[in-house]
Amino acid sequence: MFRLLIFFLIYQKLFSAEVNLESLAEKHYWKKLLHFENGKSLIVNKSFFLSKTGNLKDELIATIKIFNSNQEKTCQFPARYKWLSQFLTFKYNLSKCEEFQEFISNNFKSISIVFASSRFDNPATLFGHIFFKLHSEKIDLAFNYSAKTPDNENNLLYIFNGWTGKYLGYFQVLPYSLKETEYKDIEYRNLIEYKLNLSADEVKLLIYHIFEIKNLSEKYYFPNRNCASELLKVLELAFYKNRNLKINSFIFPIDIIHILQQQKIISDIQISFSLMKDFFNLYNQLNQNEKKILDNILQEHKFVFDELNKLQNQKSKKKVVLTGILYYKILGFSNKLKQKDNFTYIKLVQLFTQFNLSMPNTTKKINFQPLNYRKSSFGIGVDKYFYFKYRFLYRNRNDLIDEIFQNGSMEFLNFKITLQNEKVLLEKFILLNIEAFPKSNKFFRQTGKKMEIGFKEFLNQDYFYTDVGLGYNTNLNKIGFLNFIYGGIYFNNILQLKIGFHSEIYYKTFQKIFNLQFELEEFQNSFIDIFRAEYLIKIGNSNIKFYWKKIQDNYYSGIFYNFFF
């Protein structure tokens, strides 16, 4: 009799709610909970669904029934439970869900979105990556969505499979320290952390859904179902009210940052630099004598204590020891630590402890947006010169707007239209330009690479061109030196081969760039010499450029005002 009464009450509850099931199933938030798009869920795991059909109404009815009949299944869907509890009451609740209760016992206080910068020599990282950092009283966690790809995948195959949905993307929760080590220490990528302006209830909503979908999968499509798009969809679940975080047909990680800034969801920003950048920063702070001692220890493998005793200053000894520790950490993470290094490394570690040193904390808060999301610009120059640029995707090592990608470039579908003397000209169209010129010194010699494909005007002729180059980028204090050789083709009715040499001296800060370039290019059976000198000063979202160029016996100069929007 008692069981019959319970069944009657459950049935009555469902029946009374039947009037509203249609509208409830069509609510925006319910669709977001199910990752529903174009009439079906993007989630491919059967365990995510409680109904046979997986459609909105059937899944809603099945969920309501489960919450009144199965405690174990109820525990799998805390976000569904929390949302539906606004409209219905259920027999079971979340208090007896051991795994879920253990998860939320971390007491998550806030959430940040973290941008991992690009590695221009790795196609998988060209556009950067984003993931969530879940700030906890116990241990910070990372919530990540990424494609699972075979080890040592061919670059062209990787691009093809990513565009055609051949990979599965996985939602994953793991300790934040693991992601930090992966990106900063192994891949040498800087991390930019954007704290999200979320209330305690909004954090809770997001945490509940993250628990639901951890270890689940969707089909991964590089243009529009990537880390950026899927994490933005998850973030929408922090808000019962639709925030209209619009997703375009093509979306990249940098676009997410722009969207969140427009919606005023970002509060604080901080940068954490890579292990390689930390090493270079420490090394550049050493004086010449300290560098010589470090060189003797690391390169010549001279006895550590004897070399350090040549330094009278205790502070100098600590600087050398700390820089040496970072050097060996880099070798260790890249599997390049040799047996002969072990003795020196052990002695440095002993001194590290003896001096009571700690690893440098290079995380710092900033009050500006360090990434460039602006895709358009216009400029005004002397002699009634005007130009308009549009860049579908643009990261350039000489772009003052962008303060992270200073050793590489990534340009895609970038064109420049000029107007001068009442003549409109497509001056340049870059189909693709990838440059990777990581900094090198005597300890880490890294070969730079360049590939560029596009159309441009050269010596009053329009050409389709390709460039492929190899080079070397180093610095002396704050002065940089970049040299590379390149080869390729020009095509204008006939195919012509070219080869050239590029040399560049530059000085960069966050506010200005001075750049002096020389090129010598073999073209049409003769050598063409090209000199360029540029000085750029940043003013907010714009800059002023002083420019001088010489090509053979032709000279060009000007002052330009460039505004980015």
Side-chain angles (χ1 to χ4, degrees):
M1 183 68 181
F2 179 73
R3 290 182 178 178
L4 185 62
L5 179 61
I6 292 295
F7 177 79
F8 174 75
L9 291 174
I10 293 172
Y11 179 79
Q12 186 183 45
K13 189 69 177 176
L14 281 172
F15 184 79
S16 64
E18 185 69 36
V19 177
N20 299 315
L21 285 183
E22 292 284 351
S23 61
L24 203 59
E26 291 298 324
K27 283 187 177 293
H28 177 80
Y29 199 85
W30 180 246
K31 293 179 181 179
K32 289 293 180 183
L33 280 170
L34 298 183
H35 293 234
F36 225 76
E37 287 185 13
N38 301 319
K40 64 179 182 179
S41 175
L42 301 179
I43 301 290
V44 299
N45 307 77
K46 292 183 179 179
S47 61
F48 184 69
F49 304 99
L50 298 172
S51 64
K52 291 182 179 180
T53 63
N55 67 42
L56 292 170
K57 185 177 178 182
D58 289 350
E59 193 65 20
L60 178 62
I61 292 171
T63 300
I64 293 170
K65 287 181 178 179
I66 284 294
F67 289 172
N68 284 304
S69 61
N70 189 315
Q71 174 70 73
E72 184 180 353
K73 286 285 187 181
T74 299
C75 292
Q76 291 182 23
F77 302 101
R80 293 191 198 185
Y81 184 93
K82 185 170 177 58
W83 182 71
L84 287 172
S85 294
Q86 299 177 99
F87 313 104
L88 302 164
T89 56
F90 304 110
K91 175 182 177 181
Y92 295 108
N93 58 48
L94 303 176
S95 62
K96 295 181 179 180
C97 302
E98 292 184 8
E99 184 184 353
F100 173 68
Q101 291 298 327
E102 182 181 357
F103 184 68
I104 63 173
S105 70
N106 286 287
N107 200 9
F108 299 102
K109 294 295 187 182
S110 62
I111 296 175
S112 298
I113 195 162
V114 181
F115 180 92
S117 63
S118 306
R119 278 275 306 265
F120 294 99
D121 57 347
N122 183 350
T125 75
L126 281 178
F127 304 100
H129 180 66
I130 61 169
F131 58 98
F132 288 151
K133 181 179 181 180
L134 314 179
H135 299 270
S136 161
E137 289 185 351
K138 293 183 179 180
I139 179 174
D140 291 342
L141 300 178
F143 177 65
N144 186 60
Y145 178 79
S146 59
K148 187 172 183 179
T149 61
D151 294 335
N152 302 316
E153 181 83 288
N154 177 274
N155 288 341
L156 292 177
L157 193 59
Y158 170 83
I159 294 171
F160 175 79
N161 289 339
W163 276 83
T164 55
K166 303 296 183 183
Y167 298 129
L168 281 179
Y170 288 84
F171 294 104
Q172 184 183 30
V173 174
L174 66 165
Y176 178 77
S177 59
L178 294 181
K179 297 302 289 182
E180 192 174 35
T181 298
E182 175 188 350
Y183 290 129
K184 290 177 56 179
D185 299 344
I186 299 175
E187 298 184 2
Y188 314 143
R189 299 165 69 179
N190 301 318
L191 297 180
I192 308 163
E193 184 179 322
Y194 299 85
K195 188 174 181 181
L196 301 179
N197 187 21
L198 302 177
S199 68
D201 284 341
E202 289 167 344
V203 170
K204 183 182 289 186
L205 289 172
L206 202 51
I207 293 297
Y208 279 29
H209 187 63
I210 286 172
F211 179 83
E212 282 186 348
I213 62 172
K214 60 182 176 65
N215 304 322
L216 298 184
S217 305
E218 297 180 355
K219 272 199 170 184
Y220 185 96
Y221 288 89
F222 171 71
N224 55 11
R225 286 192 201 165
N226 51 40
C227 63
S229 63
E230 301 318 289
L231 288 188
L232 189 62
K233 294 170 188 175
V234 171
L235 180 59
E236 282 190 298
L237 286 158
F239 314 107
Y240 278 152
K241 184 179 179 181
N242 184 13
R243 293 293 293 266
N244 193 28
L245 304 179
K246 186 178 180 182
I247 298 176
N248 300 321
S249 54
F250 285 87
I251 189 163
F252 302 105
I254 184 62
D255 297 322
I256 299 302
I257 307 303
H258 181 42
I259 291 170
L260 298 182
Q261 283 194 313
Q262 285 184 320
Q263 294 281 335
K264 302 187 184 307
I265 297 174
I266 287 175
S267 56
D268 298 324
I269 308 174
Q270 64 180 30
I271 296 180
S272 184
F273 292 113
S274 71
L275 180 61
M276 182 67 80
K277 188 170 181 64
D278 286 345
F279 171 80
F280 273 99
N281 287 340
L282 283 178
Y283 182 76
N284 290 332
Q285 291 172 21
L286 301 179
N287 61 38
Q288 289 304 314
N289 190 36
E290 291 164 348
K291 288 180 179 178
K292 182 180 179 181
I293 297 298
L294 183 67
D295 188 33
N296 289 339
I297 292 171
L298 302 183
Q299 301 283 293
E300 304 296 330
H301 294 281
K302 292 185 178 180
F303 194 59
V304 175
F305 296 106
D306 289 347
E307 291 301 313
L308 289 177
N309 285 333
K310 296 177 182 178
L311 297 169
Q312 302 300 318
N313 190 315
Q314 192 78 350
K315 184 178 179 180
S316 291
K317 294 179 181 180
K318 291 180 179 181
K319 287 165 61 179
V320 169
V321 169
L322 190 55
T323 309
I325 290 287
L326 260 62
Y327 170 79
Y328 282 121
K329 281 192 70 175
I330 293 170
L331 291 186
F333 281 120
S334 57
N335 295 318
K336 294 180 180 179
L337 198 62
K338 299 177 181 178
Q339 189 171 359
K340 64 181 181 180
D341 296 317
N342 290 336
F343 180 78
T344 304
Y345 188 25
I346 290 170
K347 293 302 178 184
L348 288 173
V349 170
Q350 289 174 349
L351 288 169
F352 182 86
T353 305
Q354 180 182 322
F355 289 154
N356 196 27
L357 296 174
S358 57
M359 299 307 295
N361 180 13
T362 54
T363 299
K364 62 178 184 178
K365 285 190 175 182
I366 55 176
N367 57 7
F368 57 86
Q369 161 61 290
L371 298 173
N372 172 26
Y373 54 81
R374 297 174 182 87
K375 296 184 176 182
S376 304
S377 67
F378 70 83
I380 302 172
V382 295
D383 298 329
K384 297 181 180 179
Y385 176 89
F386 302 90
Y387 83 81
F388 171 76
K389 272 187 180 181
Y390 175 80
R391 56 266 190 107
F392 181 76
L393 187 70
Y394 188 81
R395 304 283 177 271
N396 192 283
R397 57 190 170 85
N398 289 322
D399 183 7
L400 270 174
I401 299 295
D402 196 323
E403 293 162 355
I404 294 299
F405 303 105
Q406 293 196 343
N407 297 320
S409 303
M410 174 62 197
E411 298 177 88
F412 180 56
L413 301 182
N414 175 29
F415 65 83
K416 180 180 180 181
I417 297 175
T418 63
L419 171 63
Q420 190 173 26
N421 300 325
E422 299 182 353
K423 182 179 179 182
V424 178
L425 176 69
L426 177 62
E427 187 172 301
K428 194 168 188 179
F429 175 77
I430 297 175
L431 179 63
L432 180 66
N433 176 36
I434 301 174
E435 294 181 328
F437 292 110
K439 287 285 182 65
S440 296
N441 63 15
K442 65 174 66 178
F443 299 106
F444 298 104
R445 302 184 186 278
Q446 305 176 84
T447 302
K449 302 170 186 176
K450 173 184 173 64
M451 181 183 73
E452 185 172 345
I453 304 171
F455 299 85
K456 69 177 179 181
E457 185 213 17
F458 185 63
L459 297 178
N460 299 317
Q461 294 289 326
D462 295 326
Y463 292 94
F464 168 81
Y465 70 95
T466 66
D467 284 339
V468 178
L470 293 174
Y472 186 73
N473 187 17
T474 188
N475 68 287
L476 179 63
N477 295 323
K478 294 184 178 181
I479 306 299
F481 301 90
L482 172 62
N483 298 283
F484 62 87
I485 57 172
Y486 62 91
I489 62 168
Y490 278 127
F491 181 76
N492 182 351
N493 296 323
I494 61 172
L495 189 67
Q496 303 170 74
L497 300 178
K498 64 171 180 174
I499 188 170
F501 170 75
H502 176 104
S503 184
E504 186 174 325
I505 302 174
Y506 59 88
Y507 171 80
K508 295 181 184 180
T509 70
F510 281 174
Q511 299 296 326
K512 57 189 175 183
I513 294 177
F514 174 74
N515 200 309
L516 187 63
Q517 300 179 17
F518 167 73
E519 281 188 29
L520 185 63
E521 184 173 301
E522 192 278 332
F523 178 67
Q524 293 183 344
N525 298 318
S526 63
F527 284 95
I528 299 172
D529 58 285
I530 304 168
F531 289 91
R532 296 187 188 90
E534 294 181 351
Y535 181 60
L536 284 84
I537 304 172
K538 180 179 178 180
I539 307 173
N541 294 333
S542 62
N543 64 49
I544 295 176
K545 180 167 88 170
F546 300 87
Y547 177 79
W548 179 87
K549 181 169 71 171
K550 171 185 175 293
I551 303 180
Q552 296 293 73
D553 296 325
N554 300 310
Y555 293 85
Y556 311 86
S557 63
I559 303 173
F560 304 93
Y561 174 76
N562 309 296
F563 181 77
F564 297 84
F565 60 97

